[in-house]
Amino acid sequence: MARIVAVANQKGGVGKTTTAVNLAASVAASEHRVLLVDFDPQGNASSSVGYTKDRIELSIYDALIGDVAMQDCIRPTEITTLFVVPATMDLVGAELELIGSENRETYLKNALATVADNYDYIIIDCPPSLGMLTLNALVAAEGVVVPMQAEYFALEGLGALCNTIDRVRDAYNPGLHLEGILFTMYDPRTNLAGQVKGEVESHLPNMVYETLIPRNVRLSESPSHGKPVLLYDFRCAGSKSYLKLAQEFVDRATAAAA
Ligand code: ATP
Ligand code: MG
Protein backbone atom coordinates (compact mmCIF):
# COMPACT_ATOMS: atom_id res chain seq x y z
CA MET A 1 0.00 0.00 0.00
CA ALA A 2 1.48 3.33 -1.02
CA ARG A 3 2.11 6.18 1.35
CA ILE A 4 0.17 9.09 -0.15
CA VAL A 5 1.54 12.59 0.30
CA ALA A 6 0.14 15.92 -0.92
CA VAL A 7 2.49 18.79 -1.75
CA ALA A 8 0.38 21.81 -0.86
CA ASN A 9 0.50 25.52 -0.17
CA GLN A 10 -2.24 27.91 -1.27
CA LYS A 11 0.38 30.53 -2.07
CA GLY A 12 1.43 30.51 -5.71
CA GLY A 13 4.96 30.05 -6.96
CA VAL A 14 6.53 28.72 -3.76
CA GLY A 15 8.00 25.59 -5.38
CA LYS A 16 5.19 23.02 -5.02
CA THR A 17 5.56 21.62 -8.50
CA THR A 18 9.36 21.74 -8.46
CA THR A 19 9.24 19.84 -5.17
CA ALA A 20 6.59 17.30 -6.20
CA VAL A 21 8.45 16.48 -9.42
CA ASN A 22 11.98 16.38 -8.03
CA LEU A 23 11.09 14.68 -4.76
CA ALA A 24 9.16 12.04 -6.75
CA ALA A 25 12.08 11.57 -9.16
CA SER A 26 14.67 11.43 -6.36
CA VAL A 27 12.67 8.91 -4.32
CA ALA A 28 12.15 6.87 -7.50
CA ALA A 29 15.91 7.01 -8.17
CA SER A 30 16.45 5.07 -4.97
CA GLU A 31 14.33 2.28 -6.50
CA HIS A 32 11.04 2.98 -4.83
CA ARG A 33 8.01 2.83 -7.10
CA VAL A 34 6.54 6.31 -7.21
CA LEU A 35 3.38 7.72 -8.78
CA LEU A 36 3.36 11.49 -9.37
CA VAL A 37 -0.20 12.83 -9.57
CA ASP A 38 -0.57 16.17 -11.31
CA PHE A 39 -3.59 17.72 -9.63
CA ASP A 40 -3.23 21.25 -10.97
CA PRO A 41 -5.00 22.33 -14.20
CA GLN A 42 -1.82 24.24 -15.12
CA GLY A 43 -0.29 20.83 -15.88
CA ASN A 44 3.21 21.93 -14.87
CA ALA A 45 4.14 18.66 -13.17
CA SER A 46 3.09 16.77 -16.32
CA SER A 47 5.21 18.87 -18.65
CA SER A 48 8.12 18.67 -16.18
CA VAL A 49 8.31 14.92 -16.83
CA GLY A 50 7.79 15.18 -20.57
CA TYR A 51 4.00 15.25 -20.94
CA THR A 52 3.20 18.52 -22.62
CA LYS A 53 -0.45 19.18 -23.60
CA ASP A 54 -0.11 17.63 -27.04
CA ARG A 55 1.19 14.37 -25.57
CA ILE A 56 -1.63 13.84 -23.04
CA GLU A 57 -4.43 11.48 -24.07
CA LEU A 58 -6.02 10.58 -20.77
CA SER A 59 -5.64 12.76 -17.70
CA ILE A 60 -6.60 12.80 -14.04
CA TYR A 61 -9.89 14.43 -15.12
CA ASP A 62 -10.91 11.24 -16.94
CA ALA A 63 -10.25 9.14 -13.84
CA LEU A 64 -12.07 11.58 -11.58
CA ILE A 65 -15.16 12.46 -13.60
CA GLY A 66 -15.16 10.13 -16.61
CA ASP A 67 -15.60 6.39 -16.61
CA VAL A 68 -11.92 5.74 -17.20
CA ALA A 69 -10.00 3.53 -14.75
CA MET A 70 -7.18 5.34 -12.91
CA GLN A 71 -4.78 2.65 -14.11
CA ASP A 72 -5.45 3.64 -17.72
CA CYS A 73 -4.47 7.28 -17.06
CA ILE A 74 -1.01 6.39 -15.70
CA ARG A 75 1.99 6.94 -17.98
CA PRO A 76 5.67 5.90 -17.69
CA THR A 77 8.52 8.41 -17.48
CA GLU A 78 12.22 8.34 -18.33
CA ILE A 79 12.88 6.98 -14.83
CA THR A 80 11.68 3.38 -14.86
CA THR A 81 10.25 3.46 -11.32
CA LEU A 82 8.53 6.86 -11.76
CA PHE A 83 5.03 7.08 -13.22
CA VAL A 84 2.72 10.05 -13.74
CA VAL A 85 -0.97 10.81 -14.03
CA PRO A 86 -1.03 13.99 -16.11
CA ALA A 87 -3.42 16.93 -15.80
CA THR A 88 -4.86 19.36 -18.32
CA MET A 89 -7.10 22.43 -18.18
CA ASP A 90 -10.05 19.99 -18.10
CA LEU A 91 -9.40 19.79 -14.37
CA VAL A 92 -10.89 23.28 -13.99
CA GLY A 93 -14.19 21.69 -15.04
CA ALA A 94 -13.77 18.91 -12.50
CA GLU A 95 -13.59 21.48 -9.72
CA LEU A 96 -17.01 22.82 -10.78
CA GLU A 97 -18.54 19.40 -11.39
CA LEU A 98 -17.41 18.13 -7.99
CA ILE A 99 -19.08 21.00 -6.15
CA GLY A 100 -22.48 19.71 -7.22
CA SER A 101 -21.94 16.05 -6.40
CA GLU A 102 -22.32 13.88 -3.34
CA ASN A 103 -19.16 12.80 -1.49
CA ARG A 104 -17.40 15.40 -3.55
CA GLU A 105 -14.32 15.35 -1.33
CA THR A 106 -13.55 11.64 -1.80
CA TYR A 107 -13.20 11.32 -5.59
CA LEU A 108 -9.41 11.38 -5.70
CA LYS A 109 -9.12 9.10 -2.66
CA ASN A 110 -11.35 6.50 -4.33
CA ALA A 111 -9.52 6.74 -7.65
CA LEU A 112 -6.09 6.35 -5.99
CA ALA A 113 -7.29 3.41 -3.90
CA THR A 114 -7.57 1.36 -7.11
CA VAL A 115 -3.83 1.69 -7.87
CA ALA A 116 -2.20 2.31 -4.47
CA ASP A 117 -0.96 -1.26 -4.10
CA ASN A 118 1.31 -0.84 -7.12
CA TYR A 119 3.43 1.94 -5.56
CA ASP A 120 5.53 2.71 -2.52
CA TYR A 121 4.74 6.43 -2.66
CA ILE A 122 2.10 8.56 -4.34
CA ILE A 123 2.97 12.26 -4.49
CA ILE A 124 0.22 14.75 -5.39
CA ASP A 125 1.05 18.20 -6.78
CA CYS A 126 -1.71 20.56 -5.60
CA PRO A 127 -2.88 23.81 -7.21
CA PRO A 128 -2.30 27.17 -5.45
CA SER A 129 -5.67 27.34 -3.67
CA LEU A 130 -7.58 25.65 -0.87
CA GLY A 131 -10.53 24.76 -3.11
CA MET A 132 -12.18 21.48 -4.00
CA LEU A 133 -9.09 20.02 -5.68
CA THR A 134 -6.80 20.61 -2.71
CA LEU A 135 -9.56 19.31 -0.41
CA ASN A 136 -9.67 16.09 -2.46
CA ALA A 137 -5.88 15.80 -2.19
CA LEU A 138 -5.96 16.31 1.59
CA VAL A 139 -8.69 13.70 1.97
CA ALA A 140 -6.69 11.21 -0.13
CA ALA A 141 -3.36 11.84 1.61
CA GLU A 142 -1.78 10.75 4.84
CA GLY A 143 0.90 13.43 4.94
CA VAL A 144 1.26 17.00 3.69
CA VAL A 145 4.59 18.42 2.56
CA VAL A 146 4.53 22.22 2.60
CA PRO A 147 7.12 24.02 0.47
CA MET A 148 7.55 27.64 1.45
CA GLN A 149 9.82 30.58 0.84
CA ALA A 150 11.41 32.23 3.83
CA GLU A 151 9.48 35.49 3.48
CA TYR A 152 7.63 37.52 6.02
CA PHE A 153 4.06 36.87 4.83
CA ALA A 154 4.74 33.17 4.41
CA LEU A 155 3.99 32.69 8.12
CA GLU A 156 0.38 33.85 7.79
CA GLY A 157 -0.18 31.49 4.89
CA LEU A 158 1.26 28.64 6.89
CA GLY A 159 -1.24 29.31 9.70
CA ALA A 160 -4.16 29.15 7.27
CA LEU A 161 -2.87 25.91 5.79
CA CYS A 162 -2.42 24.31 9.21
CA ASN A 163 -6.01 25.27 10.08
CA THR A 164 -7.23 23.66 6.88
CA ILE A 165 -5.28 20.48 7.65
CA ASP A 166 -6.86 20.41 11.14
CA ARG A 167 -10.36 20.88 9.74
CA VAL A 168 -9.91 18.20 7.07
CA ARG A 169 -8.54 15.83 9.70
CA ASP A 170 -11.54 16.40 11.98
CA ALA A 171 -14.17 16.16 9.26
CA TYR A 172 -12.90 13.58 6.79
CA ASN A 173 -9.47 12.11 7.34
CA PRO A 174 -8.40 11.30 10.93
CA GLY A 175 -4.95 10.07 9.83
CA LEU A 176 -3.93 13.30 8.08
CA HIS A 177 -0.86 15.07 9.40
CA LEU A 178 1.74 17.63 8.48
CA GLU A 179 4.63 15.62 7.06
CA GLY A 180 7.17 18.41 6.88
CA ILE A 181 7.90 22.00 5.91
CA LEU A 182 10.45 22.58 3.20
CA PHE A 183 12.23 25.87 2.65
CA THR A 184 12.66 26.45 -1.08
CA MET A 185 14.70 29.01 -3.01
CA TYR A 186 16.52 29.45 0.30
CA ASP A 187 19.25 32.05 0.58
CA PRO A 188 21.24 31.54 3.80
CA ARG A 189 22.91 34.95 3.37
CA THR A 190 19.82 36.97 4.23
CA ASN A 191 18.85 37.69 7.83
CA LEU A 192 15.17 37.43 7.01
CA ALA A 193 15.54 33.85 5.78
CA GLY A 194 17.16 32.79 9.05
CA GLN A 195 14.54 34.67 11.09
CA VAL A 196 11.56 33.16 9.27
CA LYS A 197 13.05 29.68 9.46
CA GLY A 198 13.68 30.15 13.20
CA GLU A 199 10.11 31.29 13.77
CA VAL A 200 8.60 28.37 11.87
CA GLU A 201 10.85 25.98 13.80
CA SER A 202 9.70 27.39 17.12
CA HIS A 203 5.98 27.26 16.16
CA LEU A 204 6.20 23.78 14.68
CA PRO A 205 9.06 21.91 16.36
CA ASN A 206 10.69 19.07 14.37
CA MET A 207 8.62 19.87 11.29
CA VAL A 208 11.13 21.79 9.17
CA TYR A 209 13.23 19.54 6.94
CA GLU A 210 16.92 19.84 7.63
CA THR A 211 17.44 19.90 3.86
CA LEU A 212 17.17 23.43 2.48
CA ILE A 213 16.55 23.84 -1.25
CA PRO A 214 18.77 26.63 -2.60
CA ARG A 215 17.85 28.87 -5.47
CA ASN A 216 19.37 27.03 -8.41
CA VAL A 217 18.96 27.93 -12.05
CA ARG A 218 19.08 24.27 -13.16
CA LEU A 219 15.87 23.65 -11.21
CA SER A 220 14.08 26.33 -13.21
CA GLU A 221 15.55 25.19 -16.55
CA SER A 222 14.88 21.47 -16.34
CA PRO A 223 11.04 21.63 -16.74
CA SER A 224 11.36 23.15 -20.20
CA HIS A 225 13.41 20.09 -21.17
CA GLY A 226 10.69 17.81 -19.83
CA LYS A 227 13.05 16.30 -17.29
CA PRO A 228 13.39 16.18 -13.53
CA VAL A 229 16.59 18.00 -12.57
CA LEU A 230 18.37 14.69 -11.88
CA LEU A 231 18.26 13.78 -15.56
CA TYR A 232 19.10 17.29 -16.67
CA ASP A 233 22.17 17.97 -14.53
CA PHE A 234 22.95 15.30 -11.98
CA ARG A 235 25.74 17.27 -10.35
CA CYS A 236 24.05 20.63 -9.79
CA ALA A 237 23.13 21.94 -6.34
CA GLY A 238 19.43 21.49 -7.13
CA SER A 239 19.85 17.76 -7.84
CA LYS A 240 21.92 17.28 -4.72
CA SER A 241 19.42 19.08 -2.52
CA TYR A 242 16.41 17.09 -3.76
CA LEU A 243 18.33 13.80 -3.42
CA LYS A 244 19.12 14.75 0.16
CA LEU A 245 15.48 15.68 0.75
CA ALA A 246 14.36 12.32 -0.67
CA GLN A 247 16.54 10.53 1.86
CA GLU A 248 15.17 12.61 4.71
CA PHE A 249 11.61 12.17 3.44
CA VAL A 250 11.91 8.38 3.18
CA ASP A 251 13.58 8.16 6.62
CA ARG A 252 10.77 10.21 8.16
CA ALA A 253 8.06 8.19 6.39
CA THR A 254 9.70 4.91 7.43
CA ALA A 255 9.95 6.05 11.05
CA ALA A 256 6.29 7.14 11.03
CA ALA A 257 5.18 3.78 9.60
CA ALA A 258 7.18 1.76 12.17
P1 ATP B 1 2.05 27.38 -8.61
O1 ATP B 1 1.49 27.89 -7.34
O2 ATP B 1 1.84 28.30 -9.78
O3 ATP B 1 1.62 25.97 -8.90
P2 ATP B 1 4.44 26.31 -7.54
O4 ATP B 1 4.24 26.53 -6.07
O5 ATP B 1 4.16 24.96 -8.05
O6 ATP B 1 3.64 27.37 -8.39
P3 ATP B 1 6.91 26.16 -8.95
O7 ATP B 1 6.22 26.15 -10.26
O8 ATP B 1 7.53 24.91 -8.49
O9 ATP B 1 5.93 26.72 -7.82
O10 ATP B 1 8.03 27.28 -8.90
C1 ATP B 1 7.74 28.63 -9.29
C2 ATP B 1 8.89 29.16 -10.17
O11 ATP B 1 10.09 29.17 -9.43
C3 ATP B 1 9.15 28.25 -11.37
O12 ATP B 1 9.54 29.05 -12.44
C4 ATP B 1 10.29 27.38 -10.90
O13 ATP B 1 11.08 26.91 -11.98
C5 ATP B 1 11.06 28.31 -10.00
N1 ATP B 1 11.74 27.60 -8.91
C6 ATP B 1 11.18 26.78 -7.99
N2 ATP B 1 12.09 26.35 -7.11
C7 ATP B 1 13.28 26.91 -7.48
C8 ATP B 1 14.61 26.87 -6.97
N3 ATP B 1 14.92 26.16 -5.87
N4 ATP B 1 15.55 27.58 -7.60
C9 ATP B 1 15.26 28.32 -8.70
N5 ATP B 1 14.04 28.40 -9.24
C10 ATP B 1 13.04 27.72 -8.63
MG1 MG C 1 2.62 24.30 -9.32
Side-chain angles (χ1 to χ4, degrees):
M1 190 61 181
R3 184 175 180 84
I4 305 179
V5 170
V7 180
N9 187 334
Q10 70 277 21
K11 191 165 183 335
V14 294
K16 291 180 289 296
T17 301
T18 305
T19 297
V21 167
N22 291 299
L23 176 61
S26 303
V27 171
S30 57
E31 298 195 349
H32 293 98
R33 285 176 64 86
V34 182
L35 178 63
L36 171 65
V37 178
D38 191 347
F39 212 44
D40 182 347
Q42 296 180 95
N44 294 339
S46 310
S47 56
S48 301
V49 292
Y51 289 92
T52 41
K53 250 194 340 244
D54 50 304
R55 283 197 65 207
I56 300 174
E57 287 157 23
L58 292 171
S59 73
I60 186 73
Y61 174 85
D62 300 292
L64 227 53
I65 305 290
D67 286 329
V68 181
M70 186 70 171
Q71 183 58 46
D72 295 334
C73 303
I74 296 173
R75 291 290 172 269
T77 72
E78 270 189 84
I79 299 174
T80 51
T81 49
L82 177 65
F83 299 81
V84 65
V85 187
T88 64
M89 283 308 278
D90 289 348
L91 200 52
V92 174
E95 177 130 42
L96 297 173
E97 286 167 64
L98 286 175
I99 286 173
S101 53
E102 225 176 296
N103 298 327
R104 56 195 187 173
E105 69 286 343
T106 58
Y107 274 59
L108 181 63
K109 178 190 166 107
N110 296 339
L112 290 180
T114 64
V115 299
D117 281 342
N118 302 337
Y119 302 95
D120 300 311
Y121 294 94
I122 297 178
I123 297 178
I124 308 167
D125 182 31
C126 292
S129 74
L130 295 176
M132 197 46 66
L133 293 174
T134 298
L135 175 62
N136 262 263
L138 296 181
V139 170
E142 197 177 327
V144 188
V145 170
V146 180
M148 65 184 282
Q149 282 182 269
E151 293 171 348
Y152 182 67
F153 289 113
L155 286 170
E156 285 176 22
L158 184 59
L161 182 56
C162 288
N163 286 337
T164 302
I165 293 173
D166 289 344
R167 279 190 278 129
V168 173
R169 183 195 303 116
D170 293 346
Y172 306 111
N173 184 4
L176 184 68
H177 64 266
L178 182 61
E179 181 90 16
I181 296 165
L182 177 70
F183 282 103
T184 59
M185 299 175 246
Y186 192 80
D187 182 353
R189 292 167 305 180
T190 70
N191 289 336
L192 182 64
Q195 261 171 34
V196 171
K197 179 166 169 283
E199 249 179 89
V200 173
E201 278 166 343
S202 68
H203 281 293
L204 297 161
N206 303 320
M207 276 298 145
V208 176
Y209 287 110
E210 211 172 279
T211 308
L212 302 167
I213 308 297
R215 194 173 278 284
N216 176 256
V217 70
R218 295 304 208 201
L219 283 169
S220 55
E221 288 168 355
S222 57
S224 62
H225 297 264
K227 290 175 191 297
V229 71
L230 273 184
L231 298 183
Y232 178 63
D233 182 352
F234 185 74
R235 287 175 213 285
C236 74
S239 288
K240 286 184 185 147
S241 65
Y242 276 106
L243 282 168
K244 183 161 174 258
L245 175 69
Q247 186 62 54
E248 202 182 349
F249 170 84
V250 168
D251 288 348
R252 221 180 247 201
T254 311

